[in-house]
Amino acid sequence: MEKMLKDKVAIITGSGRGIGRTTAMMFAREGARVVISDIDAQPADETVQDIKKAGGEAVAYVGDATSDDFAKEIVAVAADTWGGIDIIVNNAGFTWDSMLHKMTDEQWDTILNLHLKTPFRLIRAAKPFFCDAAQKEMEEGKTVPARKIINISSIAGIGGNVGQANYSAAKSGIIGLTKTVGKEWARYNVQANAVAFGMIDTRMTQAKEIGEAVEHEGEKIAVGVPEKQRRMIEMMIPMGRAGSTEEAASAILFFASPLSNYVSGQCLVVSGGLMV
């Protein structure tokens, strides 16, 4: 059976770890050529090497997704390496929580920039390889292949979440962006969809007591969920557990594959039945 993503070129942000890494590995197994993106070189390079060991094709782009040049440069890496882009997965992110009345402008701006502005910039930068390429194909009488945009949202963006005004706002905004792109670029056979995750087992949802952190402009920001709160959330999940990164990546693969060629502007909730 032919691989679902044979010869497709995919950019996956935040793909050195977690859901992004698993998605990249899954895409590569399905025949995609993958641009691995992470702010840290080591996990990005490890993911590339693991894909190559398995017989796939991948290249790394290391950089801060919120930087002004990120979108232009990562698009250039994909185009220079493989000549185009077929799939974008806007996955990069972390949380920086605080109650609304204590939240700083920096916390607000950082999370909105990463989870909403960065995807907007990347989609815009890919326009020549999505819309312009499709226009040329139509003028030449060729079949226009489906090109895909998958934006990662959260159930916090649908129902809100205490302590996450910034994250909830960004993840709600990405759904609106997804629906708009789906309408504006439909004539170019571009499908734009979102996946809203609940609790998936990654370092962002592991016990906060473990002490994991991300670095932002020299500042260490703790990530994770306090163990007591994590146990309470798991009790609220109808399926009784957090999801795996494989289960999360499978939903992304559906939207990247031909199985979703007549699906656009949708937000699929993947949460084990939990709604905030």
Side-chain angles (χ1 to χ4, degrees), residues 63-95:
D64 182 351
T66 63
S67 69
D68 290 342
D69 294 331
F70 175 83
K72 177 180 66 177
E73 291 180 355
I74 196 169
V75 164
V77 168
D80 293 346
T81 306
W82 292 301
I85 307 166
D86 303 286
I87 303 163
I88 293 173
V89 180
N90 281 304
N91 168 76
F94 64 89
T95 56

Side-chain angles (χ1 to χ4, degrees), residues 10 94 195 262-263:
F94 64 89
V195 182
Y262 197 59
V263 181

Side-chain angles (χ1 to χ4, degrees), residues 86-90 119 123-124 130-131 145-153 173-195 251-252 254-257 260-268:
D86 303 286
I87 303 163
I88 293 173
V89 180
N90 281 304
I123 294 167
R124 183 178 61 182
F130 277 62
C131 305
R147 294 177 171 93
K148 309 280 188 168
I149 296 167
I150 303 99
N151 295 320
I152 304 307
S153 184
I174 198 69
I175 296 173
L177 175 63
T178 300
K179 291 178 180 292
T180 299
V181 174
K183 289 182 175 181
E184 290 189 1
W185 288 9
R187 63 194 174 114
Y188 301 111
N189 200 21
V190 175
Q191 290 91 55
N193 292 286
V195 182
I252 299 172
F254 164 71
F255 281 132
S257 78
S260 64
N261 278 0
Y262 197 59
V263 181
S264 196
Q266 303 305 303
C267 179
L268 175 63

Side-chain angles (χ1 to χ4, degrees), residues 102-121:
K102 297 180 180 179
M103 186 170 289
T104 66
D105 285 358
E106 183 183 10
Q107 284 176 286
W108 178 269
D109 290 342
T110 297
I111 297 304
L112 265 291
N113 284 344
L114 180 55
H115 290 273
L116 188 54
K117 189 174 185 178
T118 292
F120 156 71
R121 283 174 160 177

